[in-house]
Amino acid sequence: MAAGPDSNFNPDMEFFVDMQRCIGCRACEAACAECETNGQEPMIHVNYVDRAHSVQTTVQVCMHCEDPACANVCPADAIAKDGNGVVHSANTSRCIGCSNCVLACPFGVPKKMEAAELMMKCNLCYDRTSVGKKPMCATVCPSGALFYGTREEIRKKRPNSDPVNTFKFGAQTVHTKVNIMMPKGSTELRVH
Amino acid sequence: MFKIFSDLNRKALLNASIAMVLVIVLVYVGSRDLQNFDAALIAYLFGTVFAVFGIMYRYSVWVQRPPTRLYWRRTWKFVFSKRFFPYLGFVITQFVKNILFQRFIYPRGKSRWIGHFLLATGCMLAFAVTIPLTFGWIHFTLLPGTTDIYVAHVFGFAVSKFELGGLIAFNAFHILNWCSLFVIIGAILMMRRRLTNGGLIATQSFQDDWMPLVLLLAISVTGLGLTFDYSFMQGKTFEFMSVTHAITVILFLVWIPFGKFFHIFQRPAQLGTNVYRKEGERLGMAVCPHTGEAFATQLHVNDLKKVTRELDFNFDMEGGGSHLDYSPEGKRAALAKAQFAAREKEGSFFG
Ligand code: HEM
Ligand code: SF4
Ligand code: SF4
């Protein structure tokens, strides 16, 4: 699934996520279900962080890892990363629905569609981004939790934050294509 | 220049060679020392033998990948244990439902399922007929002293007689036409999806997605063309039809190991993962430390810890435990909490 020469993917535009700004309105979920690559099924995740104690919500898109754990653990070679660094949803004829990717993704992204025995996940709205448009979710987010644009734009918009794309999960470091907004000067986000 | 040889996978090469030799031996024995072998099919035989070699090679390389190897080993160990017996019925129903009928495609879309079912059924039926013919395992003769009674021979033994012009003869000689018709309808349904679905248009490629459909269509159309030619055109296009049919079929065979058609051989693994999950449920579920709910089998979580290690990932946490102990929701919450904590520490939630 390498991007063909006719692909108009704009490498200057990037995804910047600030989940602390998420208000749980689920506009992105509705927009995601409009994406033609996943046919009416929203792939974005919106959920309460700790429902018993707070109303904080979080939003999660695929981070498009440099060395994706999901693709590594797939026994069917169903997940591929293309030349633009986009990690695609499972190849429909190969995926055997084993859920390895669902459990191994450090960001909890892939979804297993039980009846269809198929994994599906966010593919950065490839139908849109491959022609230079923004992903659906980022066009509707009212709170700025999801932003898709250039580094220049985000620097102006969020002068006191820095985008980070290095994450630590225990002993594991993960580098991603998608950024998370952190306090200025941060270079990584340690999760555990 | 000889890098290709050092890159070859030794084990796979061995398996592929054994499979190839085995097929050749079976052709020799099954056709009674080639007496019943139809020389007109020699090109198809070469194509098939190459396909067997290629499929076995790729399959062997495939099952050596750590996640695949784990499932492979778990499956066979389980199949040969006494705990497998209660699952026999489950495996058989799963095989019929999900391999023969590919029912799991239905929830993805009705025409998607119908299209694929026709493609797969047409092809599998055609294989069931053409492979034994190509190998010389089946052949037909006229019953001596008659002009309308056919005898079918399997491995050189006469197994049944049928009258020319009867129902059996009609179906036996026309089954490949039915197969072609199935495949043509299936391919057209799939092509329609690929022309109209925006998501497919954005992600498909000619080589991976269109070539297989075009090839199947070409095989079926020229196959039907052969019958059409001798039924209605007095053999005027026979040369063209038979040559293009042979070329497309051989391309198909030779390409199986490299392209999309390899999924035909990968799919049975789906049965293995379903049994794995069922047996895992019996052994016990993993509970997420964050949500407090069961989210996967403990067997699966433990196996993934091993597999990720083999693949040079290490999600072990300092205070013990692993990031993989968390459910997908737990993992997302952990990330959100960590980002929130960083913002809180900074003293400003919006920056
Ligand atoms: C011999 C037979 C078979 C042939 C010729 C065949 C051919 C194809 C083709 C051409 C496609 C791509 C369709 C498209 O999207 O354009 C496909 C997809 C697929 N095949 Fe097969 N197939 C065969 C057998 C099987 C079997 C036995 C299974 C079993 C379980 C299977 C499972 C699938 C699945 C899951 C897809 C993806 C369908 C979707 O999500 O739209 N195939 N096959
Ligand atoms: S975030 Fe998860 S699903 Fe996305 S590429 Fe990384 S491992 Fe794969
Ligand atoms: S669910 Fe599908 S894509 Fe995910 S690891 Fe299993 S086979 Fe691969």
Side-chain angles (χ1 to χ4, degrees):
Chain A
M1 208 180 276
D6 58 346
S7 167
N8 291 312
F9 193 91
N10 182 349
D12 296 333
M13 297 230 271
E14 286 180 63
F15 213 142
F16 301 93
V17 180
D18 194 349
M19 51 269 279
Q20 141 62 18
R21 286 175 174 267
C22 174
I23 54 171
C25 71
R26 296 182 187 269
C28 54
E29 230 180 59
C32 184
E34 295 291 318
C35 172
E36 287 189 287
T37 56
N38 37 287
Q40 276 95 57
E41 286 290 343
M43 290 298 128
I44 197 163
H45 297 270
V46 178
N47 52 266
Y48 287 106
V49 173
D50 193 0
R51 187 69 190 99
H53 302 103
S54 91
V55 292
Q56 185 192 354
T57 56
T58 184
V59 60
Q60 189 70 55
V61 294
C62 173
M63 300 296 288
H64 299 282
C65 303
E66 257 171 37
D67 183 16
C70 59
N72 275 281
V73 300
C74 175
D77 300 332
I79 306 173
K81 188 175 114 178
D82 72 15
N84 299 319
V86 175
V87 180
H88 286 266
S89 198
N91 177 316
T92 56
S93 63
R94 284 198 196 152
C95 171
I96 52 172
C98 71
S99 293
N100 268 11
C101 54
V102 175
L103 299 179
C105 165
F107 299 95
V109 169
K111 279 191 186 178
K112 159 93 182 287
M113 314 312 279
E114 288 296 335
E117 302 205 16
L118 175 68
M119 176 284 267
M120 287 173 75
K121 66 180 255 313
C122 152
N123 66 353
L124 203 69
C125 282
Y126 200 70
D127 56 332
R128 298 173 58 83
T129 49
S130 63
V131 292
K133 291 187 192 167
K134 299 179 179 194
M136 290 297 267
C137 56
T139 63
V140 298
C141 180
S143 67
L146 302 167
F147 178 79
Y148 195 80
T150 62
R151 289 212 160 226
E152 194 70 40
E153 286 174 290
I154 197 78
R155 206 171 297 133
K156 278 199 198 123
K157 239 173 130 77
R158 307 270 181 262
N160 300 318
S161 296
D162 271 333
V164 158
N165 68 351
T166 301
F167 303 90
K168 296 245 163 89
F169 301 92
Q172 185 62 44
T173 303
V174 175
H175 300 289
T176 62
K177 178 177 176 64
V178 173
N179 306 285
I180 286 184
M181 299 309 288
M182 289 283 284
K184 197 149 191 73
S186 310
T187 52
E188 61 172 45
L189 172 52
R190 173 167 278 284
V191 178
H192 289 298
Chain B
M1 178 185 165
F2 296 109
K3 189 165 178 298
I4 180 163
F5 293 108
S6 55
D7 280 351
L8 282 176
N9 187 308
R10 277 255 196 85
K11 210 166 164 182
L13 204 60
L14 187 69
N15 290 348
S17 307
I18 292 173
M20 189 173 72
V21 171
L22 204 69
V23 168
I24 294 171
V25 169
L26 285 175
V27 169
Y28 202 77
V29 175
S31 63
R32 294 293 187 88
D33 301 349
L34 303 184
Q35 327 176 33
N36 302 328
F37 179 72
D38 183 349
L41 300 177
I42 188 84
Y44 289 98
L45 179 64
F46 277 128
T48 311
V49 169
F50 180 86
V52 167
F53 181 87
I55 290 163
M56 197 57 179
Y57 185 84
R58 176 149 177 210
Y59 203 94
S60 305
V61 171
W62 178 52
V63 297
Q64 286 173 36
R65 288 201 45 228
T68 326
R69 188 174 57 213
L70 190 120
Y71 276 122
W72 177 259
R73 288 198 179 147
R74 279 252 183 269
T75 304
W76 290 112
K77 230 171 151 176
F78 186 61
V79 166
F80 292 113
S81 75
K82 53 181 184 296
R83 277 177 302 140
F84 179 65
F85 193 69
Y87 288 93
L88 205 58
F90 175 73
V91 171
I92 293 168
T93 40
Q94 283 280 311
F95 178 79
V96 174
K97 240 170 74 180
N98 284 346
I99 304 294
L100 294 185
F101 284 87
Q102 307 109 41
R103 261 311 295 258
F104 62 95
I105 300 180
Y106 194 83
R108 302 180 191 181
K110 196 164 151 190
S111 77
R112 215 162 147 179
W113 174 72
I114 297 173
H116 186 271
F117 175 70
L118 290 172
L119 273 183
T121 308
C123 268
M124 288 194 284
L125 265 180
F127 282 147
V129 174
T130 52
I131 290 176
L133 279 176
T134 310
F135 287 2
W137 292 351
I138 310 183
H139 73 287
F140 300 96
T141 53
L142 270 179
L143 192 68
T146 69
T147 53
D148 58 355
I149 307 284
Y150 262 85
V151 184
H153 303 261
V154 177
F155 296 124
F157 301 104
V159 289
S160 73
K161 278 186 272 198
F162 55 89
E163 214 174 315
L164 203 61
L167 202 64
I168 300 180
F170 182 81
N171 282 316
F173 294 129
H174 289 279
I175 180 127
L176 289 179
N177 288 338
W178 291 118
C179 294
S180 297
L181 208 62
F182 283 5
V183 172
I184 290 172
I185 300 171
I188 290 174
L189 284 174
M190 287 316 203
M191 284 180 169
R192 191 186 60 172
R193 278 190 70 229
R194 295 206 164 274
L195 287 170
T196 53
N197 181 303
L200 288 178
I201 292 170
T203 52
Q204 68 194 355
S205 72
F206 179 76
Q207 195 194 325
D208 292 333
D209 303 303
W210 275 94
M211 256 281 270
L213 296 172
V214 170
L215 203 54
L216 288 173
L217 200 62
I219 292 173
S220 310
V221 169
T222 51
L224 266 187
L226 282 167
T227 306
F228 189 80
D229 176 77
Y230 73 69
S231 306
F232 305 108
M233 295 175 69
Q234 299 85 40
K236 287 197 188 92
T237 59
F238 179 80
E239 196 89 327
F240 173 77
M241 291 295 176
S242 66
V243 170
T244 40
H245 188 66
I247 290 175
T248 49
V249 170
I250 290 161
L251 269 179
F252 169 83
L253 288 170
V254 169
W255 193 44
I256 292 176
F258 306 102
K260 186 165 217 155
F261 295 120
F262 191 65
H263 80 274
I264 302 165
F265 298 90
Q266 278 185 317
R267 292 302 317 183
Q270 191 177 356
L271 299 180
T273 63
N274 281 325
V275 172
Y276 175 80
R277 191 159 49 149
K278 233 172 132 92
E279 172 67 2
E281 277 166 14
R282 195 183 65 82
L283 295 173
M285 301 299 283
V287 173
C288 173
H290 175 76
T291 63
E293 281 166 22
F295 67 99
T297 72
Q298 191 62 54
L299 176 71
H300 200 173
V301 173
N302 294 347
D303 277 348
L304 264 180
K305 285 181 192 167
K306 266 186 257 165
V307 168
T308 44
R309 273 294 180 85
E310 265 185 82
L311 293 162
D312 282 333
F313 283 88
N314 183 357
F315 290 107
D316 289 352
M317 303 189 296
E318 259 166 43
S322 159
H323 185 52
L324 298 180
D325 289 326
Y326 288 81
S327 65
E329 187 183 332
K331 291 185 180 111
R332 298 194 293 269
L335 181 71
K337 279 201 234 173
Q339 194 231 12
F340 182 82
R343 288 279 196 210
E344 196 172 32
K345 198 169 145 214
E346 176 71 11
S348 156
F349 291 108
F350 303 97

